[in-house]
Amino acid sequence: MTTQNANTTLFIGLMSGTSLDGIDGVMASFPNNDGNEPQQHPATTLASAYMPFSATLRRELMALQRAGENEIEREALVGNTLATHYAACVERLLIDAGLRADQIRAIGVHGQTIRHRPELGFTRQTNNPSLLAELTGIDVIADFRSRDIAAGGQGAPLVPAFHQAVFANPAETRVVVNIGGIANISVLHQRTDGATTVTDIGFDTGPGNSLMDLWIKLNKGKDYDENGVWGASGTALPMLLKAFLNEPYFASPPPKSTGRDLFNEAWLAAKLAQFPQLSPADVQATLVALTAATIADAIARHASDAKMVYVCGGGAYNPYLMKMLGRSLAQHGSAAAVESTEALGVAPNHVEALAFAWLAQRFDLRLPGNLPGVTGAAGPRILGALYPA
């Protein structure tokens, strides 16, 4: 049982990402402060929970990634379903921590991205935060991306600000790589003048696990390549990798963000059409190489002095992908070592949920949650919208 400390405030963070596998939830304790910037390493994880999505929910969420019949009603119904799943995750966290709803300051919930079109001025994370507040009796803070887009930003990635707060070290340049459905990096630069470390770049590098998950689903009916075994059984094909890399997004400068709007089944099919009769295992190995190569290239371009690369997200649990990332970094002339964020005290599958607990705290303190240098927004903005219990 967790004993609440009068000097701390409790927040819950909920994240369901592009991989569409389920919900990661954490209960986090943050030190109280007087409204000034909290000190680095601000969060302590008190409990965690994972709620997998059913096959039916996954199919419906996937279908909503593209235009379809009656999609407004379908999205509303999926939002209700998600809210009940989020509420079940919150209940599990409360039980495991031995706490009551009235002891939690707020829930920070990302929602499920179904469209991300910052170039058109919008992003859409389906959810029903009002229902979640009603079901849990806890204030809910949601819709974190829209304000940044309204200020001219990409609305993504948002996690670099959290990475800066938790993982930066002024004595060395570090890179934090989140490999979910889409991969993104946060460059945490060394500062030799003794100033507080700042993140001056962070962006989506391209596909993380999404295309690998798609390919194994199409060929083996599995949701993901457990431990990267299937990918490791194949051989990465240089000509196919070159075709994959022939995508303008990879060469475009940051700030930038992406998602299934670009990297989807149609994108993959168009690339594979150039190479008939490939071994499916070789395609999988080449998709692993694509993720590793695009991350390594981004690090070589923007963090050539990095000594450490810390990986979070589901990709951190794929030994073959981690090996290929290390190999790709070496090919780019980097001597950076690759480890998971476990080495920094945060489990790889908890980082994003913890980030949304942190963003909820930022909203509660009326402090900015974005980094304009990362998203391209006109300036720092308070992110999120409050749905009172």
Side-chain angles (χ1 to χ4, degrees):
M1 176 170 298
T2 300
T3 301
Q4 187 175 13
N5 187 326
N7 296 319
T8 62
T9 305
L10 305 181
F11 290 84
I12 286 174
L14 302 174
M15 177 65 187
S16 50
T18 312
S19 294
L20 297 175
D21 52 351
I23 301 162
D24 287 303
V26 298
M27 181 180 293
S29 172
F30 294 87
N32 293 334
N33 62 74
D34 58 4
N36 296 320
E37 285 287 341
Q39 294 182 347
Q40 195 178 7
H41 306 296
T44 300
T45 301
L46 304 179
S48 63
Y50 174 71
M51 307 290 289
F53 287 157
S54 67
T56 300
L57 180 55
R58 287 191 59 163
R59 281 195 302 270
E60 188 61 17
L61 287 168
M62 185 67 76
L64 285 168
Q65 303 285 322
R66 55 189 181 274
E69 183 180 358
N70 201 27
E71 62 182 327
I72 294 176
E73 181 174 325
R74 286 165 43 222
E75 188 207 346
L77 293 174
V78 165
N80 290 345
T81 301
L82 278 172
T84 62
H85 281 64
Y86 292 142
C89 191
V90 169
E91 181 180 16
R92 173 50 53 191
L93 290 168
L94 291 171
I95 290 171
D96 288 351
L99 293 169
R100 305 182 310 274
D102 63 6
Q103 294 175 282
I104 311 303
R105 180 72 169 183
I107 299 166
V109 58
H110 173 257
Q112 185 66 52
T113 300
I114 58 171
R115 305 288 166 84
H116 183 66
R117 301 297 302 274
E119 74 280 9
L120 298 178
F122 80 94
T123 187
R124 183 71 177 180
Q125 286 72 48
T126 191
N127 188 7
N128 188 340
S130 294
L131 179 58
L132 179 58
E134 188 69 27
L135 292 172
T136 61
I138 302 172
D139 286 358
V140 172
I141 301 164
D143 191 22
F144 289 96
R145 299 190 186 278
S146 293
R147 184 61 196 277
D148 186 88
I149 288 180
Q154 293 280 311
L158 295 182
V159 290
F162 171 73
H163 293 161
Q164 179 196 68
V166 177
F167 297 136
N169 184 332
E172 65 178 15
T173 296
R174 294 175 170 179
V175 177
V176 180
V177 182
N178 175 55
I179 309 179
I182 297 296
N184 58 66
I185 67 168
S186 303
V187 180
L188 311 173
H189 278 301
Q190 177 185 10
R191 292 292 293 267
T192 57
D193 59 3
T196 302
T197 303
V198 296
T199 303
D200 52 15
I201 200 162
F203 55 91
D204 290 346
T205 58
N209 301 310
S210 58
L211 294 179
M212 291 183 270
D213 291 349
L214 168 65
W215 188 244
I216 197 169
K217 185 70 172 180
L218 290 172
N219 286 274
K220 291 184 170 294
K222 296 181 178 180
D223 292 331
Y224 66 99
D225 186 5
E226 188 171 2
N227 295 318
V229 172
W230 191 43
S233 73
T235 300
L237 305 172
M239 291 303 294
L240 180 58
L241 178 59
K242 183 178 179 180
F244 286 161
L245 290 171
N246 185 24
E247 163 56 53
Y249 179 84
F250 299 131
S252 64
K256 60 180 181 177
S257 59
T258 190
R260 291 186 191 272
D261 303 270
L262 173 59
F263 295 107
N264 50 36
E265 186 173 352
W267 185 92
L268 181 57
K271 298 293 185 181
L272 293 178
Q274 306 171 49
F275 304 91
Q277 299 182 329
L278 294 177
S279 158
D282 289 349
V283 174
Q284 185 75 354
T286 311
L287 288 170
V288 175
L290 171 66
T291 295
T294 48
I295 293 170
D297 181 68
I299 293 171
R301 288 171 183 263
H302 300 285
S304 59
D305 61 333
K307 297 294 187 288
M308 292 298 305
V309 173
Y310 295 101
V311 181
C312 59
Y317 297 99
N318 183 330
Y320 180 56
L321 175 56
M322 294 286 277
K323 176 182 176 181
M324 291 297 289
L325 177 56
R327 183 178 298 175
S328 292
L329 284 166
Q331 290 171 348
H332 281 79
S334 172
V338 179
E339 295 190 44
S340 85
T341 54
E342 195 76 59
L344 297 175
V346 184
N349 57 332
H350 294 167
V351 172
E352 282 203 294
L354 193 57
F356 282 91
W358 180 83
L359 284 166
Q361 185 216 24
R362 300 290 291 185
F363 177 94
D364 188 59
L365 295 173
R366 297 302 187 266
L367 293 172
N370 65 335
L371 291 174
V374 168
T375 66
R381 297 291 187 269
I382 298 168
L383 305 182
L386 173 63
Y387 296 79

